[in-house]
Amino acid sequence: MAFVSRRGFLETGAALAALSACRQTTAAKAPPTKWTDAVSQAKAVAEGKTQPAALVEAAIRRLESVNGKINAVKFPNLERAREIAANGVKGPLAGVPTLIKDNVHQKGLPYTQGCRALAATVADETDAYPAAIETAGFVSIGRSTLPEFGITATTEPLLTGVTRNPWNLDHSTGGSSGGSAAAVAAGVVPVAHANDGGGSIRIPASCCGLVGLKPSRRRMAGDAASPDIATHLGVEGCVSRTVRDTAAWFHATQAKGEGAAFAEAPLVTGPAKDRLRVGLRLNHPSGGLPHEEVQRVFGEASALLQKLGHKVKDVPAPYKGDVVIPAFMALWESGAGQAVAEITKMAPGVDPSTILEPLTLTMAAQAATYTPEQMQVSTAALDEAMASYRAQFKDIDIYMTPVLGQPAAPIGYIAPTIPWPEQRARLIAYAGFTGVENVAGVPSIGLPIGESKDGIPIGIQFATAPGGEARLLALAYELERELLWYDRRPGVWAGEI
């Protein structure tokens, strides 16, 4: 297989723990000739077998070879990346090329949030989380695409155009971290920044055959001081092809030291011996069943868990779907309303339809119909869901659901040109599984367990109690060892360049 050997993969499973920050020379040695993951690349740098500049140049060549097909990056920062790599990089992942999603600030780089109104915006500071990514030693070569304000589960913004799935160019990458997922799936970079306010790490991971860990609320750098409340939805993380890359990224960018909301999680380097109690929930939160191929892959995941000795049982949803879904959508719509209000204030007298998408505007219009009292009721419902969701972990260790209601949607299925009233039910049926984990503030991970009959990846979600990322990663290692998903290759693949 065009990877490291399985023996080599396992032998280097703990390699990251031994990597230390070291000064790099500017001479660029040849990078590996075959695709390697981030841990292998960092190990090669630490051992002097390659240099950050060589890794960055290889990633740039890969991006240039496939970006015309997948459109994962609209705003590359190649010269900045070359300069950083040439000047020397420190950190546990020193020299590993990556991408950073275009909805966090990096000083001197575009900050558009996928919106035409912000097309000329340049950040004047760097946020805490991208700073943590850079401190870990990653070198970003560009800003990855996302839907306008990250509000939907596909990446088809009018500003940058459609981002396409390397497994099938006629299908969506998911959203909102669609550009990062497309690039990682195509082998451009081994791991890329993503964030998640309702599924935006796990959904693209499912669509593109990747590992996608949504950490606990307040777990990651820059988020430790946030309140632990149901309406604080967003968290930072990554998407990757291998579990150990996600584990390495998570360990390097979690909040640490004084003020951290959680004790520092260990670097997880393999499966655990503990056998887990896994609660299974196949039904959509609204009560219906997902697509038959999603049902099949869900069954395959359940059978594999049992084969490995875990105890599985069907469990009811730990919340009232008919209450939580409307409450969550009201909160989501109000976010669109806030965005529209800010943009119209920035651009007085400008026709909003020329700078904002129909989806955003019609979601905002719906938000305007809610009274303060109705929003209070919605918030109370989400508070109750957070409590009941967390309470289930007294009886189970893991809660397993699908990530999506069907395999990756065709391009245009939930396009931002379709007004909200026309696509609301469609989007909920498609992407309604993942929002409640954000409400509950729990960690959850999407894993590429199977694929459709057409070869499109299908992910399954595993969640646990707050602070339980190590448990999820250990389980992910165990499933990865059985399924070897990192060896799968999409039709659009740059990893051997």
Side-chain angles (χ1 to χ4, degrees):
M1 60 185 177
F3 193 69
V4 293
S5 68
R6 183 171 182 180
R7 178 181 177 185
F9 183 90
L10 295 174
E11 285 177 346
T12 57
L16 183 65
L19 297 181
S20 60
C22 56
R23 186 175 301 277
Q24 310 300 333
T25 66
T26 58
K29 298 181 181 180
T33 57
K34 294 184 178 181
W35 184 88
T36 52
D37 68 355
V39 171
S40 292
Q41 290 183 17
K43 184 172 183 286
V45 169
E47 293 176 348
K49 295 178 180 178
T50 191
Q51 297 293 336
L55 295 175
V56 166
E57 285 301 327
I60 290 172
R61 289 195 299 272
R62 291 166 178 162
L63 177 65
E64 292 174 342
S65 73
V66 298
N67 199 46
K69 295 180 179 179
I70 61 175
N71 190 34
V73 177
K74 205 68 173 182
F75 304 107
N77 44 264
L78 307 185
E79 294 308 314
R80 178 182 184 273
R82 287 175 171 130
E83 181 179 354
I84 291 171
N87 288 339
V89 188
K90 295 182 179 181
L93 284 305
V96 175
T98 192
L99 297 170
I100 293 182
K101 188 175 173 181
D102 191 15
N103 67 346
V104 293
H105 296 89
Q106 288 179 280
K107 186 175 181 178
L109 296 181
Y111 175 70
T112 74
Q113 298 190 71
C115 178
R116 290 171 294 169
L118 302 176
T121 303
V122 175
D124 58 9
E125 61 181 1
T126 297
D127 291 336
Y129 195 72
I133 295 171
E134 293 175 355
T135 298
F138 290 103
V139 181
S140 176
I141 64 171
R143 306 278 291 173
S144 62
T145 55
L146 73 157
E148 185 167 83
F149 302 119
I151 63 172
T152 190
T154 190
T155 303
E156 305 176 39
L158 297 182
L159 172 65
T160 57
V162 174
T163 296
R164 297 182 180 274
N165 193 324
W167 293 91
N168 185 321
L169 296 176
D170 293 328
H171 285 255
S172 172
T173 59
S176 63
S177 305
S180 289
V184 173
V188 173
V189 292
V191 61
H193 168 241
N195 43 38
D196 191 316
S200 291
I201 290 175
R202 294 155 289 158
I203 289 171
S206 179
C207 291
C208 294
L210 304 176
V211 176
L213 172 67
K214 182 200 84 67
S216 305
R217 181 160 46 231
R218 304 192 300 159
R219 166 65 91 172
M220 306 308 284
D223 193 36
S226 298
D228 184 21
I229 55 175
T231 53
H232 179 61
L233 302 176
V235 294
E236 304 291 340
C238 69
V239 288
S240 70
R241 293 181 63 85
T242 67
V243 174
R244 67 181 187 175
D245 279 1
T246 285
W249 178 293
F250 167 74
H251 184 260
T253 63
Q254 64 181 309
K256 302 174 183 177
E258 185 176 354
F262 297 90
E264 182 177 339
L267 175 62
V268 182
T269 58
K273 294 181 180 180
D274 297 342
R275 298 300 83 187
L276 303 173
R277 302 167 299 167
V278 182
L280 309 179
R281 169 71 177 179
L282 175 61
N283 284 40
H284 190 278
S286 63
L289 287 170
H291 189 280
E292 61 183 11
E293 295 199 83
V294 175
Q295 294 182 49
R296 172 179 55 78
V297 173
F298 187 89
E300 292 169 359
S302 174
L304 179 56
L305 289 170
Q306 292 178 74
K307 172 188 170 185
L308 295 170
H310 300 288
K311 297 180 179 180
V312 306
K313 65 176 182 178
D314 293 326
V315 296
Y319 54 90
K320 298 176 181 177
D322 58 347
V323 174
V324 171
I325 289 177
F328 183 86
M329 297 319 299
L331 181 63
W332 207 248
E333 290 156 347
S334 70
Q338 293 169 11
V340 169
E342 291 175 7
I343 294 299
T344 53
K345 184 178 179 180
M346 289 171 49
V350 177
D351 180 357
S353 68
T354 65
I355 55 175
L356 292 165
E357 295 174 347
L359 175 61
T360 304
L361 290 169
T362 51
M363 288 183 73
Q366 177 61 39
T369 68
Y370 299 134
T371 66
E373 291 75 20
Q374 287 175 313
M375 291 305 299
Q376 289 174 4
V377 170
S378 293
T379 299
L382 297 179
D383 289 339
E384 182 179 342
M386 180 175 80
S388 62
Y389 192 106
R390 292 181 177 186
Q392 72 177 324
F393 295 112
K394 297 175 183 177
D395 301 314
I396 59 174
D397 303 307
I398 300 289
Y399 179 59
M400 181 179 114
T401 72
V403 174
L404 289 167
Q406 67 182 61
I411 296 297
Y413 182 72
I414 47 173
T417 52
I418 303 174
W420 182 230
E422 296 178 29
Q423 69 161 286
R424 185 179 187 274
R426 181 182 296 182
L427 180 63
I428 290 171
Y430 179 57
F433 280 100
T434 52
V436 72
E437 283 72 32
N438 296 80
V439 169
V442 302
S444 57
I445 191 167
L447 298 176
I449 299 297
E451 59 185 30
S452 73
K453 62 182 179 181
D454 298 323
I456 296 176
I458 295 175
I460 299 299
Q461 174 179 230
F462 304 84
T464 194
E469 290 87 354
R471 170 173 281 171
L472 293 179
L473 288 166
L475 177 60
Y477 272 114
E478 188 174 9
L479 297 175
E480 180 184 59
R481 183 178 61 189
E482 297 295 317
L483 299 174
L484 301 179
W485 50 64
Y486 52 76
D487 194 31
R488 303 171 188 166
R489 298 289 185 263
V492 178
W493 174 249
E496 309 309 321
I497 295 173

